[in-house]
Amino acid sequence: MARLRRSFYEGRADRVARALLGKRLVRVREGRRLAGVIVETEAYRGTRDPGSHAYRGRKPRNAVMFGDPGHAYLYFTYGNHWMLNLTCEPSQRPAAVLIRALEPSEGVALMKRNRRVEEEVEIASGPGKLAKALGLDGALNGEDVVTSRRLFVEDGLSAGRIGVSSRVGLSEGWERKWRFYIAGNRFVSRGKPSLPRKP
DNA sequence: CGAGAGATGCGCT
DNA sequence: GCGCATCTCTCGC
């Protein structure tokens, strides 16, 4: 399968987020391929988006968001979890797509071990789970996924019907409908039911 | 099986 | 200190 090129990531974050559904995220670690089909994403774009890390300007942590498209932005949160984003839009325009869930396809046994779970549906049905399953952390922050041998995205099949909803877990900016998922796919995360949200 | 809270560490106020 | 683009476990039904 062909790898996605730089031009793929240059578009608006919400469009890239949609387009990433059905593509294959690949992690190569110690010579082994760990991979899955992207089934859930969220877009964060611009300095006006109160849900985005770029909302309060450029800081050391979010600097990758302001750089070239097609790079991994990995950040640590909640004291436990790494989140994988892929930057998009031209340089200086802060934007990224959070990869929220995968349907596992290669290296399933190893990913289960990384996660210490038995059920396939538990491997990567959420952004923190996904990073753990693939062995992603701050060491890969800034990685160029267009050229990297360790982390990249390959073209895939059509995603089929796409669902749209509010983004998960935000106290501000949740009214933007920038979460996208493959409708009916069982590996999509359920999100966090107790957070404030409007129908 | 759904709701709720604790875990856990870092960046910012 | 507080809040966080979360996860997991414990309760109670």
Short mmCIF file of all heavy atoms in Angstrom, two decimals, chain A residues 11-76:
data_model
loop_
_atom_site.label_atom_id
_atom_site.label_comp_id
_atom_site.label_asym_id
_atom_site.label_seq_id
_atom_site.Cartn_x
_atom_site.Cartn_y
_atom_site.Cartn_z
N GLY A 11 -4.41 20.00 3.82
CA GLY A 11 -5.78 20.52 3.83
C GLY A 11 -6.26 20.93 5.22
O GLY A 11 -5.54 20.77 6.23
N ARG A 12 -7.48 21.45 5.25
CA ARG A 12 -8.10 21.81 6.53
C ARG A 12 -8.19 20.60 7.45
O ARG A 12 -8.50 19.50 7.00
CB ARG A 12 -9.53 22.30 6.29
CG ARG A 12 -9.65 23.70 5.72
CD ARG A 12 -11.10 23.97 5.38
NE ARG A 12 -11.98 23.67 6.51
CZ ARG A 12 -12.89 24.52 6.98
NH1 ARG A 12 -13.04 25.71 6.41
NH2 ARG A 12 -13.67 24.18 7.97
N ALA A 13 -7.99 20.83 8.73
CA ALA A 13 -7.93 19.73 9.69
C ALA A 13 -9.21 18.88 9.69
O ALA A 13 -9.15 17.66 9.80
CB ALA A 13 -7.64 20.25 11.09
N ASP A 14 -10.36 19.54 9.56
CA ASP A 14 -11.60 18.75 9.61
C ASP A 14 -11.74 17.86 8.38
O ASP A 14 -12.22 16.73 8.48
CB ASP A 14 -12.81 19.67 9.79
CG ASP A 14 -12.87 20.80 8.78
OD1 ASP A 14 -11.80 21.27 8.34
OD2 ASP A 14 -13.98 21.21 8.42
N ARG A 15 -11.26 18.35 7.24
CA ARG A 15 -11.32 17.51 6.04
C ARG A 15 -10.31 16.37 6.12
O ARG A 15 -10.59 15.25 5.72
CB ARG A 15 -11.03 18.34 4.80
CG ARG A 15 -12.02 19.46 4.65
CD ARG A 15 -12.34 19.72 3.20
NE ARG A 15 -13.24 20.85 3.11
CZ ARG A 15 -13.05 21.89 2.29
NH1 ARG A 15 -11.99 21.90 1.49
NH2 ARG A 15 -13.91 22.87 2.25
N VAL A 16 -9.13 16.67 6.63
CA VAL A 16 -8.11 15.63 6.77
C VAL A 16 -8.60 14.57 7.76
O VAL A 16 -8.40 13.38 7.56
CB VAL A 16 -6.77 16.24 7.22
CG1 VAL A 16 -5.74 15.15 7.52
CG2 VAL A 16 -6.23 17.19 6.16
N ALA A 17 -9.27 15.03 8.82
CA ALA A 17 -9.78 14.09 9.83
C ALA A 17 -10.75 13.09 9.19
O ALA A 17 -10.70 11.89 9.46
CB ALA A 17 -10.47 14.86 10.95
N ARG A 18 -11.63 13.60 8.35
CA ARG A 18 -12.55 12.71 7.61
C ARG A 18 -11.80 11.77 6.70
O ARG A 18 -12.09 10.57 6.63
CB ARG A 18 -13.46 13.55 6.72
CG ARG A 18 -14.77 13.95 7.30
CD ARG A 18 -15.48 14.83 6.26
NE ARG A 18 -16.72 15.36 6.78
CZ ARG A 18 -17.87 14.71 6.72
NH1 ARG A 18 -17.95 13.52 6.15
NH2 ARG A 18 -18.96 15.24 7.23
N ALA A 19 -10.85 12.35 5.97
CA ALA A 19 -10.14 11.57 4.95
C ALA A 19 -9.27 10.48 5.55
O ALA A 19 -8.96 9.48 4.89
CB ALA A 19 -9.30 12.50 4.08
N LEU A 20 -8.88 10.65 6.80
CA LEU A 20 -8.03 9.64 7.44
C LEU A 20 -8.79 8.37 7.81
O LEU A 20 -8.19 7.32 8.00
CB LEU A 20 -7.36 10.23 8.70
CG LEU A 20 -6.12 11.08 8.45
CD1 LEU A 20 -5.72 11.83 9.71
CD2 LEU A 20 -4.95 10.22 7.96
N LEU A 21 -10.10 8.47 7.90
CA LEU A 21 -10.89 7.28 8.22
C LEU A 21 -10.72 6.24 7.12
O LEU A 21 -10.81 6.55 5.93
CB LEU A 21 -12.36 7.64 8.39
CG LEU A 21 -12.69 8.58 9.54
CD1 LEU A 21 -14.18 8.93 9.53
CD2 LEU A 21 -12.31 7.97 10.88
N GLY A 22 -10.44 5.01 7.53
CA GLY A 22 -10.22 3.95 6.55
C GLY A 22 -8.76 3.77 6.15
O GLY A 22 -8.39 2.77 5.55
N LYS A 23 -7.91 4.75 6.49
CA LYS A 23 -6.48 4.62 6.22
C LYS A 23 -5.83 3.75 7.29
O LYS A 23 -6.40 3.52 8.35
CB LYS A 23 -5.82 6.01 6.20
CG LYS A 23 -6.44 6.99 5.22
CD LYS A 23 -6.17 6.59 3.78
CE LYS A 23 -6.57 7.68 2.81
NZ LYS A 23 -8.02 7.75 2.57
N ARG A 24 -4.64 3.28 6.99
CA ARG A 24 -3.97 2.36 7.91
C ARG A 24 -2.80 3.03 8.61
O ARG A 24 -1.86 3.49 7.97
CB ARG A 24 -3.47 1.15 7.12
CG ARG A 24 -2.70 0.15 7.95
CD ARG A 24 -2.35 -1.07 7.13
NE ARG A 24 -3.57 -1.64 6.55
CZ ARG A 24 -3.87 -2.93 6.61
NH1 ARG A 24 -3.06 -3.78 7.22
NH2 ARG A 24 -4.97 -3.38 6.06
N LEU A 25 -2.87 3.08 9.93
CA LEU A 25 -1.78 3.63 10.73
C LEU A 25 -0.80 2.50 11.04
O LEU A 25 -1.20 1.43 11.52
CB LEU A 25 -2.33 4.21 12.04
CG LEU A 25 -1.29 4.79 13.00
CD1 LEU A 25 -0.65 6.05 12.43
CD2 LEU A 25 -1.94 5.11 14.35
N VAL A 26 0.47 2.73 10.75
CA VAL A 26 1.48 1.69 10.90
C VAL A 26 2.59 2.15 11.84
O VAL A 26 3.13 3.25 11.69
CB VAL A 26 2.12 1.32 9.54
CG1 VAL A 26 3.13 0.18 9.73
CG2 VAL A 26 1.05 0.94 8.53
N ARG A 27 2.91 1.31 12.79
CA ARG A 27 4.02 1.54 13.71
C ARG A 27 4.99 0.38 13.53
O ARG A 27 4.59 -0.78 13.63
CB ARG A 27 3.48 1.59 15.14
CG ARG A 27 4.50 1.41 16.23
CD ARG A 27 5.39 2.60 16.35
NE ARG A 27 6.08 2.62 17.64
CZ ARG A 27 7.35 3.00 17.77
NH1 ARG A 27 8.04 3.37 16.72
NH2 ARG A 27 7.91 3.02 18.96
N VAL A 28 6.26 0.70 13.26
CA VAL A 28 7.27 -0.34 13.16
C VAL A 28 8.17 -0.22 14.38
O VAL A 28 8.77 0.83 14.62
CB VAL A 28 8.09 -0.23 11.87
CG1 VAL A 28 9.16 -1.32 11.83
CG2 VAL A 28 7.18 -0.33 10.66
N ARG A 29 8.21 -1.29 15.15
CA ARG A 29 8.92 -1.26 16.42
C ARG A 29 9.69 -2.57 16.57
O ARG A 29 9.07 -3.64 16.51
CB ARG A 29 7.89 -1.12 17.54
CG ARG A 29 8.44 -0.66 18.85
CD ARG A 29 7.34 -0.85 19.89
NE ARG A 29 7.73 -0.37 21.18
CZ ARG A 29 7.15 -0.76 22.30
NH1 ARG A 29 6.14 -1.62 22.24
NH2 ARG A 29 7.55 -0.29 23.45
N GLU A 30 10.99 -2.47 16.75
CA GLU A 30 11.84 -3.65 16.85
C GLU A 30 11.58 -4.62 15.70
O GLU A 30 11.46 -5.82 15.89
CB GLU A 30 11.61 -4.34 18.20
CG GLU A 30 12.09 -3.47 19.37
CD GLU A 30 11.54 -3.94 20.71
OE1 GLU A 30 10.97 -5.03 20.74
OE2 GLU A 30 11.70 -3.19 21.69
N GLY A 31 11.49 -4.02 14.49
CA GLY A 31 11.35 -4.83 13.29
C GLY A 31 9.97 -5.41 13.05
O GLY A 31 9.77 -6.13 12.08
N ARG A 32 9.03 -5.12 13.93
CA ARG A 32 7.68 -5.68 13.76
C ARG A 32 6.67 -4.60 13.42
O ARG A 32 6.75 -3.49 13.93
CB ARG A 32 7.25 -6.41 15.03
CG ARG A 32 7.87 -7.78 15.15
CD ARG A 32 7.22 -8.54 16.29
NE ARG A 32 7.81 -8.16 17.55
CZ ARG A 32 8.71 -8.93 18.19
NH1 ARG A 32 9.05 -10.09 17.71
NH2 ARG A 32 9.21 -8.54 19.34
N ARG A 33 5.72 -4.98 12.60
CA ARG A 33 4.67 -4.05 12.21
C ARG A 33 3.45 -4.18 13.11
O ARG A 33 2.90 -5.27 13.26
CB ARG A 33 4.23 -4.36 10.77
CG ARG A 33 4.82 -3.44 9.72
CD ARG A 33 4.46 -3.94 8.33
NE ARG A 33 3.10 -3.59 7.97
CZ ARG A 33 2.78 -2.61 7.13
NH1 ARG A 33 3.72 -1.87 6.59
NH2 ARG A 33 1.52 -2.37 6.82
N LEU A 34 3.08 -3.06 13.69
CA LEU A 34 1.83 -2.98 14.45
C LEU A 34 0.95 -2.01 13.67
O LEU A 34 1.38 -0.91 13.36
CB LEU A 34 2.08 -2.44 15.86
CG LEU A 34 3.15 -3.14 16.68
CD1 LEU A 34 3.36 -2.42 18.02
CD2 LEU A 34 2.78 -4.58 16.92
N ALA A 35 -0.25 -2.44 13.34
CA ALA A 35 -1.05 -1.57 12.48
C ALA A 35 -2.54 -1.76 12.71
O ALA A 35 -2.99 -2.77 13.27
CB ALA A 35 -0.72 -1.85 11.01
N GLY A 36 -3.28 -0.75 12.28
CA GLY A 36 -4.73 -0.83 12.38
C GLY A 36 -5.37 0.21 11.48
O GLY A 36 -4.72 1.19 11.10
N VAL A 37 -6.63 -0.02 11.16
CA VAL A 37 -7.38 0.93 10.34
C VAL A 37 -7.92 2.04 11.24
O VAL A 37 -8.50 1.76 12.30
CB VAL A 37 -8.53 0.21 9.62
CG1 VAL A 37 -9.40 1.21 8.85
CG2 VAL A 37 -7.99 -0.87 8.69
N ILE A 38 -7.72 3.26 10.82
CA ILE A 38 -8.22 4.41 11.59
C ILE A 38 -9.74 4.47 11.49
O ILE A 38 -10.29 4.54 10.39
CB ILE A 38 -7.59 5.72 11.07
CG1 ILE A 38 -6.06 5.67 11.26
CG2 ILE A 38 -8.19 6.93 11.78
CD1 ILE A 38 -5.32 6.81 10.58
N VAL A 39 -10.41 4.42 12.63
CA VAL A 39 -11.88 4.40 12.63
C VAL A 39 -12.50 5.60 13.35
O VAL A 39 -13.72 5.77 13.32
CB VAL A 39 -12.43 3.08 13.24
CG1 VAL A 39 -11.97 1.88 12.42
CG2 VAL A 39 -12.04 2.93 14.69
N GLU A 40 -11.68 6.42 13.99
CA GLU A 40 -12.21 7.57 14.73
C GLU A 40 -11.16 8.66 14.83
O GLU A 40 -10.01 8.38 15.17
CB GLU A 40 -12.66 7.12 16.13
CG GLU A 40 -13.25 8.24 16.97
CD GLU A 40 -13.63 7.76 18.38
OE1 GLU A 40 -13.53 6.55 18.64
OE2 GLU A 40 -13.98 8.61 19.20
N THR A 41 -11.56 9.90 14.53
CA THR A 41 -10.62 11.03 14.56
C THR A 41 -11.33 12.28 15.11
O THR A 41 -12.56 12.33 15.15
CB THR A 41 -10.11 11.38 13.14
OG1 THR A 41 -11.23 11.68 12.30
CG2 THR A 41 -9.31 10.23 12.54
N GLU A 42 -10.52 13.26 15.48
CA GLU A 42 -11.06 14.57 15.83
C GLU A 42 -10.14 15.64 15.27
O GLU A 42 -8.92 15.49 15.27
CB GLU A 42 -11.15 14.75 17.34
CG GLU A 42 -12.36 14.07 17.96
CD GLU A 42 -12.39 14.17 19.48
OE1 GLU A 42 -11.48 14.80 20.06
OE2 GLU A 42 -13.31 13.61 20.07
N ALA A 43 -10.74 16.77 14.84
CA ALA A 43 -9.95 17.87 14.29
C ALA A 43 -9.81 18.99 15.32
O ALA A 43 -10.74 19.29 16.07
CB ALA A 43 -10.63 18.40 13.03
N TYR A 44 -8.65 19.61 15.32
CA TYR A 44 -8.37 20.79 16.14
C TYR A 44 -7.67 21.78 15.23
O TYR A 44 -6.63 21.47 14.66
CB TYR A 44 -7.48 20.40 17.33
CG TYR A 44 -8.21 19.50 18.30
CD1 TYR A 44 -8.24 18.13 18.10
CD2 TYR A 44 -8.92 20.03 19.36
CE1 TYR A 44 -8.96 17.30 18.96
CE2 TYR A 44 -9.62 19.22 20.23
CZ TYR A 44 -9.65 17.86 20.03
OH TYR A 44 -10.35 17.05 20.87
N ARG A 45 -8.27 22.97 15.06
CA ARG A 45 -7.65 23.87 14.08
C ARG A 45 -7.74 25.33 14.49
O ARG A 45 -8.74 25.82 14.97
CB ARG A 45 -8.25 23.66 12.69
CG ARG A 45 -9.69 24.02 12.51
CD ARG A 45 -10.13 23.67 11.08
NE ARG A 45 -9.28 24.32 10.09
CZ ARG A 45 -9.63 25.45 9.45
NH1 ARG A 45 -10.75 26.04 9.68
NH2 ARG A 45 -8.80 25.97 8.57
N GLY A 46 -6.62 25.99 14.29
CA GLY A 46 -6.57 27.43 14.45
C GLY A 46 -6.44 27.88 15.89
O GLY A 46 -6.53 27.10 16.83
N THR A 47 -6.22 29.18 16.08
CA THR A 47 -6.06 29.74 17.42
C THR A 47 -7.40 30.21 17.98
O THR A 47 -7.48 30.66 19.11
CB THR A 47 -5.10 30.94 17.38
OG1 THR A 47 -5.53 31.82 16.34
CG2 THR A 47 -3.68 30.49 17.08
N ARG A 48 -8.48 30.08 17.19
CA ARG A 48 -9.81 30.47 17.67
C ARG A 48 -10.58 29.30 18.25
O ARG A 48 -11.67 29.48 18.77
CB ARG A 48 -10.65 31.06 16.52
CG ARG A 48 -10.03 32.24 15.85
CD ARG A 48 -10.09 33.45 16.80
NE ARG A 48 -9.03 34.39 16.47
CZ ARG A 48 -9.04 35.14 15.40
NH1 ARG A 48 -10.02 35.08 14.56
NH2 ARG A 48 -8.05 35.96 15.15
N ASP A 49 -10.04 28.13 18.11
CA ASP A 49 -10.72 26.92 18.56
C ASP A 49 -10.40 26.70 20.04
O ASP A 49 -9.28 26.32 20.38
CB ASP A 49 -10.24 25.74 17.71
CG ASP A 49 -10.75 24.39 18.20
OD1 ASP A 49 -11.58 24.38 19.14
OD2 ASP A 49 -10.33 23.38 17.65
N PRO A 50 -11.37 26.96 20.93
CA PRO A 50 -11.07 26.88 22.36
C PRO A 50 -10.77 25.47 22.84
O PRO A 50 -10.27 25.28 23.94
CB PRO A 50 -12.35 27.41 23.02
CG PRO A 50 -13.42 27.20 22.00
CD PRO A 50 -12.78 27.29 20.66
N GLY A 51 -11.06 24.48 22.01
CA GLY A 51 -10.72 23.10 22.39
C GLY A 51 -9.29 22.73 22.05
O GLY A 51 -8.79 21.70 22.50
N SER A 52 -8.64 23.58 21.28
CA SER A 52 -7.31 23.23 20.78
C SER A 52 -6.19 23.68 21.72
O SER A 52 -6.30 24.72 22.37
CB SER A 52 -7.09 23.88 19.41
OG SER A 52 -5.75 23.72 18.99
N HIS A 53 -5.12 22.94 21.74
CA HIS A 53 -3.95 23.35 22.52
C HIS A 53 -3.35 24.64 21.98
O HIS A 53 -2.62 25.33 22.69
CB HIS A 53 -2.89 22.25 22.49
CG HIS A 53 -3.26 21.06 23.31
ND1 HIS A 53 -2.55 19.88 23.28
CD2 HIS A 53 -4.28 20.86 24.18
CE1 HIS A 53 -3.11 19.01 24.10
NE2 HIS A 53 -4.16 19.57 24.65
N ALA A 54 -3.66 24.98 20.73
CA ALA A 54 -3.10 26.19 20.14
C ALA A 54 -3.90 27.43 20.53
O ALA A 54 -3.52 28.55 20.20
CB ALA A 54 -3.07 26.06 18.62
N TYR A 55 -5.00 27.24 21.25
CA TYR A 55 -5.89 28.35 21.59
C TYR A 55 -5.17 29.47 22.33
O TYR A 55 -5.41 30.63 22.09
CB TYR A 55 -7.04 27.82 22.44
CG TYR A 55 -8.12 28.82 22.75
CD1 TYR A 55 -8.74 29.55 21.75
CD2 TYR A 55 -8.54 29.02 24.07
CE1 TYR A 55 -9.74 30.45 22.04
CE2 TYR A 55 -9.55 29.92 24.37
CZ TYR A 55 -10.15 30.64 23.36
OH TYR A 55 -11.14 31.52 23.64
N ARG A 56 -4.31 29.11 23.23
CA ARG A 56 -3.60 30.12 24.02
C ARG A 56 -2.20 30.38 23.49
O ARG A 56 -1.31 30.78 24.23
CB ARG A 56 -3.55 29.72 25.48
CG ARG A 56 -4.94 29.59 26.06
CD ARG A 56 -4.97 29.27 27.53
NE ARG A 56 -6.29 28.82 27.93
CZ ARG A 56 -7.34 29.61 28.13
NH1 ARG A 56 -7.22 30.91 27.97
NH2 ARG A 56 -8.49 29.10 28.50
N GLY A 57 -2.04 30.17 22.18
CA GLY A 57 -0.78 30.53 21.55
C GLY A 57 0.25 29.42 21.57
O GLY A 57 0.05 28.35 22.13
N ARG A 58 1.35 29.72 20.93
CA ARG A 58 2.42 28.74 20.78
C ARG A 58 3.21 28.62 22.07
O ARG A 58 3.63 29.62 22.66
CB ARG A 58 3.32 29.19 19.64
CG ARG A 58 4.49 28.28 19.41
CD ARG A 58 5.25 28.74 18.19
NE ARG A 58 6.37 27.86 17.93
CZ ARG A 58 6.85 27.62 16.72
NH1 ARG A 58 6.31 28.20 15.68
NH2 ARG A 58 7.85 26.82 16.57
N LYS A 59 3.40 27.39 22.50
CA LYS A 59 4.15 27.09 23.71
C LYS A 59 5.09 25.93 23.38
O LYS A 59 4.90 25.27 22.37
CB LYS A 59 3.19 26.69 24.83
CG LYS A 59 2.20 27.77 25.26
CD LYS A 59 2.88 28.69 26.22
CE LYS A 59 2.07 29.91 26.63
NZ LYS A 59 0.74 30.09 26.15
N PRO A 60 6.04 25.68 24.23
CA PRO A 60 6.95 24.56 23.94
C PRO A 60 6.20 23.25 23.65
O PRO A 60 6.54 22.53 22.72
CB PRO A 60 7.79 24.45 25.22
CG PRO A 60 7.81 25.84 25.77
CD PRO A 60 6.49 26.45 25.41
N ARG A 61 5.18 22.98 24.43
CA ARG A 61 4.49 21.71 24.25
C ARG A 61 3.81 21.59 22.90
O ARG A 61 3.85 20.53 22.28
CB ARG A 61 3.44 21.50 25.36
CG ARG A 61 2.69 20.19 25.18
CD ARG A 61 1.86 19.77 26.39
NE ARG A 61 0.56 20.38 26.45
CZ ARG A 61 -0.54 19.77 26.92
NH1 ARG A 61 -0.46 18.52 27.36
NH2 ARG A 61 -1.68 20.40 26.96
N ASN A 62 3.15 22.66 22.43
CA ASN A 62 2.35 22.55 21.21
C ASN A 62 3.09 23.03 19.96
O ASN A 62 2.47 23.16 18.90
CB ASN A 62 1.04 23.32 21.39
CG ASN A 62 1.27 24.82 21.59
OD1 ASN A 62 2.34 25.33 21.32
ND2 ASN A 62 0.25 25.51 22.08
N ALA A 63 4.37 23.26 20.07
CA ALA A 63 5.13 23.83 18.94
C ALA A 63 4.96 23.03 17.66
O ALA A 63 4.91 23.60 16.57
CB ALA A 63 6.61 23.94 19.31
N VAL A 64 4.87 21.71 17.78
CA VAL A 64 4.76 20.87 16.58
C VAL A 64 3.52 21.21 15.77
O VAL A 64 3.51 21.13 14.54
CB VAL A 64 4.78 19.37 16.97
CG1 VAL A 64 4.55 18.49 15.76
CG2 VAL A 64 6.11 19.02 17.63
N MET A 65 2.46 21.63 16.47
CA MET A 65 1.22 21.99 15.78
C MET A 65 1.40 23.17 14.82
O MET A 65 0.62 23.35 13.89
CB MET A 65 0.12 22.37 16.77
CG MET A 65 -0.50 21.22 17.52
SD MET A 65 -1.90 21.78 18.53
CE MET A 65 -3.21 21.89 17.30
N PHE A 66 2.39 24.01 15.09
CA PHE A 66 2.64 25.19 14.27
C PHE A 66 3.61 24.91 13.14
O PHE A 66 3.89 25.79 12.34
CB PHE A 66 3.18 26.33 15.15
CG PHE A 66 2.16 26.92 16.09
CD1 PHE A 66 1.81 26.25 17.26
CD2 PHE A 66 1.56 28.13 15.82
CE1 PHE A 66 0.87 26.79 18.13
CE2 PHE A 66 0.62 28.68 16.70
CZ PHE A 66 0.27 28.00 17.86
N GLY A 67 4.14 23.72 13.09
CA GLY A 67 5.14 23.39 12.09
C GLY A 67 4.53 22.80 10.83
O GLY A 67 3.36 23.00 10.52
N ASP A 68 5.34 22.08 10.08
CA ASP A 68 4.92 21.53 8.80
C ASP A 68 3.87 20.45 8.98
O ASP A 68 3.85 19.75 10.00
CB ASP A 68 6.12 20.93 8.07
CG ASP A 68 7.08 22.01 7.60
OD1 ASP A 68 6.63 23.14 7.35
OD2 ASP A 68 8.28 21.70 7.49
N PRO A 69 2.99 20.28 7.98
CA PRO A 69 2.00 19.21 8.03
C PRO A 69 2.67 17.83 7.90
O PRO A 69 3.77 17.73 7.38
CB PRO A 69 1.11 19.50 6.83
CG PRO A 69 1.95 20.31 5.90
CD PRO A 69 2.88 21.10 6.77
N GLY A 70 1.96 16.83 8.40
CA GLY A 70 2.48 15.47 8.26
C GLY A 70 3.48 15.07 9.33
O GLY A 70 4.34 14.22 9.11
N HIS A 71 3.36 15.69 10.50
CA HIS A 71 4.22 15.30 11.61
C HIS A 71 3.39 14.81 12.79
O HIS A 71 2.24 15.23 12.96
CB HIS A 71 5.09 16.48 12.06
CG HIS A 71 6.15 16.84 11.07
ND1 HIS A 71 7.49 16.61 11.29
CD2 HIS A 71 6.06 17.38 9.83
CE1 HIS A 71 8.19 17.02 10.24
NE2 HIS A 71 7.34 17.49 9.34
N ALA A 72 3.98 13.96 13.61
CA ALA A 72 3.28 13.46 14.79
C ALA A 72 3.40 14.45 15.93
O ALA A 72 4.50 14.88 16.27
CB ALA A 72 3.87 12.11 15.20
N TYR A 73 2.26 14.84 16.48
CA TYR A 73 2.24 15.65 17.70
C TYR A 73 1.78 14.74 18.82
O TYR A 73 0.62 14.34 18.86
CB TYR A 73 1.31 16.84 17.51
CG TYR A 73 0.98 17.60 18.79
CD1 TYR A 73 1.96 17.86 19.74
CD2 TYR A 73 -0.31 18.08 19.02
CE1 TYR A 73 1.65 18.56 20.90
CE2 TYR A 73 -0.62 18.78 20.19
CZ TYR A 73 0.36 19.02 21.11
OH TYR A 73 0.05 19.70 22.27
N LEU A 74 2.70 14.38 19.70
CA LEU A 74 2.39 13.50 20.82
C LEU A 74 2.49 14.27 22.12
O LEU A 74 3.51 14.92 22.38
CB LEU A 74 3.36 12.32 20.84
CG LEU A 74 2.97 11.17 19.92
CD1 LEU A 74 4.19 10.46 19.38
CD2 LEU A 74 2.06 10.18 20.65
N TYR A 75 1.46 14.23 22.89
CA TYR A 75 1.51 14.93 24.18
C TYR A 75 0.98 14.02 25.28
O TYR A 75 0.25 13.07 25.04
CB TYR A 75 0.74 16.25 24.13
CG TYR A 75 -0.74 16.07 24.01
CD1 TYR A 75 -1.53 15.94 25.16
CD2 TYR A 75 -1.36 16.01 22.78
CE1 TYR A 75 -2.89 15.77 25.06
CE2 TYR A 75 -2.72 15.83 22.67
CZ TYR A 75 -3.48 15.71 23.82
OH TYR A 75 -4.82 15.52 23.73
N PHE A 76 1.39 14.36 26.48
CA PHE A 76 1.09 13.57 27.67
C PHE A 76 -0.01 14.24 28.48
O PHE A 76 0.01 15.46 28.66
CB PHE A 76 2.36 13.47 28.50
CG PHE A 76 2.26 12.60 29.71
CD1 PHE A 76 2.27 11.22 29.60
CD2 PHE A 76 2.19 13.16 30.98
CE1 PHE A 76 2.20 10.41 30.72
CE2 PHE A 76 2.11 12.36 32.10
CZ PHE A 76 2.12 10.98 31.97
#
